[in-house]
Amino acid sequence: MNLSGVPEPKLEYAPKHYICRRATEKLVLDGRVDKPFWAAADWTDDFVDIEGDLRPKPAKQTRVKMLWDEHYFYFAAELIEDQIWATLTERDSIIFYDNDFEIFIDPDGDSHHYYEFEINALNTVWDLLLIKPYRDGGPPVNGWDISGLQTEVHIDGELNRPGAANRKWSMEAAMPWKSLRECAAEGRPPAKGEFWRVNFSRVEWRVEVQGGEYRKVINPDTGKSYPEDNWVWSPMGLINMHYPELWGYVVFADEDGPESFEQPPDERIKWELRKLYYRERNFFASHGAFTGDVKLLMYDDEHWSITPVIETTRTLFQISAPSSDGKSNFCIREDGKLWKE
């Protein structure tokens, strides 16, 4: 595998969380969020820049609602927008070349085998499965589809018409568990009280009006369009969505709760192992070998709750630490896979 360095995110580990309640009626999709089906669902926090506090807050509001029942995982997103445009019409196009909304789902939280979904204002979808993050060698499976997926978009304004009285666009998606359970623990949907790792992204390009159409603004110094903005629910600390360990916690609740979420102690242990994975990979990139010396990876000015054991070969490593109850171990290896044994 490619053992290149892995940038370490610049943020404190504090992923967002969301209590996802059970739906009480059948969803009739029309892309609108202002209807009884969504009344019981809370909004997420407004999106922030993907780098978190390193960058200014987004200029336009984005927020999401979620619900679930025995058949589907439901999503609704509202994107405030005065320039509503889209060009791509073919499924599995690279949708983020347009302004878009994206959903990322890692059911079992091991950072491998997760889903990516993108949609534009034309209701064109790109859905794919990632065997592992790109940093760990990928690959993406573009031919994979969310079987039974339902989506709709609502335009509050006019699509691809500069000068129109545009306010926002919104979307709804219903994703069947029969597809999403493929990468889930035990191959099943979530149970009440369990959580999946989820995040959302909004890609926003800088555009101007030329010839009565929206066009991406070209940087005269490069001859290419300016980089897109990336606005997200749970910040990543770097410009890369493919760090599933930083996604938010979506907790599945019913009428009996749970009503709140406190990050389990094991999640801190897993995060500290993940930091060692970043540093072990970066050590290899600099020195051509892994190190078994924890002092070279655990800096003195940091607080650690684990006492890890590192095992290395010429091209492999495994780092382990006891779980919070001491009854098992968490392990992480050179391709980022994290598991409990």
Side-chain angles (χ1 to χ4, degrees):
M1 64 170 285
N2 175 19
L3 292 175
S4 59
V6 176
E8 187 171 337
K10 297 177 181 178
L11 81 174
E12 291 295 317
Y13 187 70
K16 301 280 190 178
H17 67 269
Y18 182 91
I19 305 299
C20 184
R21 306 183 189 283
R22 283 190 71 95
T24 57
E25 59 184 272
K26 179 180 174 62
L27 175 61
V28 179
L29 287 87
D30 60 5
R32 301 183 68 109
V33 188
D34 55 347
K35 56 190 177 190
F37 179 85
W38 291 108
D42 296 325
W43 287 110
T44 61
D45 292 339
D46 289 351
F47 284 22
V48 297
D49 189 87
I50 191 170
E51 295 185 85
D53 292 339
L54 298 176
R55 296 283 301 276
K57 293 187 182 299
K60 301 174 184 180
Q61 184 189 48
T62 315
R63 54 185 184 168
V64 174
K65 289 187 172 191
M66 288 169 268
L67 289 170
W68 71 303
D69 61 21
E70 65 270 27
H71 301 297
Y72 293 98
F73 197 175
Y74 299 105
F75 302 91
E78 179 184 79
L79 299 85
I80 301 302
E81 182 60 86
D82 57 342
Q83 299 172 315
I84 304 177
W85 62 275
T87 65
L88 299 168
T89 59
E90 184 177 346
R91 184 169 180 146
D92 291 341
S93 302
I94 302 176
I95 299 300
F96 66 78
Y97 288 167
D98 286 348
N99 285 354
D100 79 351
F101 174 76
E102 305 177 1
I103 303 171
F104 297 83
I105 306 172
D106 181 7
D108 60 4
D110 67 355
S111 86
H112 284 203
H113 295 94
Y114 61 88
Y115 313 116
E116 179 176 353
F117 164 93
E118 303 186 4
I119 190 169
N120 66 7
L122 280 166
N123 195 29
T124 308
V125 166
W126 181 19
D127 49 357
L128 61 157
L129 184 152
L130 279 295
I131 302 301
K132 58 181 76 172
Y134 296 106
R135 69 191 180 197
D136 299 310
V141 183
N142 284 315
W144 180 84
D145 289 333
I146 303 173
S147 178
L149 172 71
Q150 301 176 51
T151 64
E152 287 293 343
V153 166
H154 173 72
I155 307 294
D156 189 347
E158 297 183 60
L159 181 67
N160 293 328
R161 187 180 169 191
N166 294 323
R167 180 169 176 263
K168 65 182 178 181
W169 65 282
S170 55
M171 59 75 63
E172 294 178 297
M175 298 185 181
W177 296 121
K178 65 183 181 183
S179 286
L180 297 183
R181 70 185 185 186
E182 179 177 344
C183 296
E186 303 174 1
R188 61 170 176 79
K192 170 197 167 182
E194 294 180 339
F195 61 78
W196 282 15
R197 303 303 297 274
V198 177
N199 211 352
F200 306 99
S201 174
R202 173 180 178 176
V203 168
E204 186 82 2
W205 295 92
R206 191 187 306 186
V207 297
E208 60 187 358
V209 178
Q210 293 183 1
E213 297 181 341
Y214 292 115
R215 300 288 185 188
K216 291 178 184 175
V217 178
I218 301 300
N219 182 341
D221 295 332
T222 64
K224 299 178 181 178
S225 57
Y226 285 95
E228 76 281 8
D229 283 318
N230 297 273
W231 302 331
V232 306
W233 172 46
S234 197
M236 306 294 292
L238 75 177
I239 304 175
N240 189 336
M241 286 301 297
H242 293 272
Y243 277 53
E245 62 269 19
L246 296 172
W247 298 348
Y249 295 94
V250 173
V251 185
F252 297 94
D254 62 16
E255 60 274 9
D256 297 322
E259 296 295 328
S260 62
F261 173 76
E262 185 173 336
Q263 190 183 108
D266 281 347
E267 293 301 297
R268 170 57 58 175
I269 292 170
K270 290 157 68 174
W271 170 243
E272 293 185 5
L273 285 173
R274 180 68 59 180
K275 287 204 295 184
L276 295 177
Y277 147 84
Y278 301 143
R279 295 174 185 182
E280 190 74 90
R281 284 280 296 270
N282 293 333
F283 189 93
F284 186 96
S286 297
H287 298 86
F290 296 119
T291 179
D293 186 351
V294 297
K295 294 180 181 178
L296 295 176
L297 305 178
M298 302 173 76
Y299 310 145
D300 291 339
D301 61 345
E302 297 176 313
H303 172 73
W304 296 84
S305 63
I306 62 173
T307 303
V309 174
I310 303 177
E311 303 170 84
T312 68
T313 70
R314 188 173 64 85
T315 58
L316 305 173
F317 72 76
Q318 180 172 309
I319 308 174
S320 59
S323 60
S324 58
D325 62 8
K327 296 180 180 179
S328 55
N329 284 316
F330 287 105
C331 305
I332 195 167
R333 66 190 189 203
E334 71 287 337
D335 70 349
K337 174 81 168 181
L338 193 151
W339 71 97
K340 189 176 184 178
E341 63 179 20

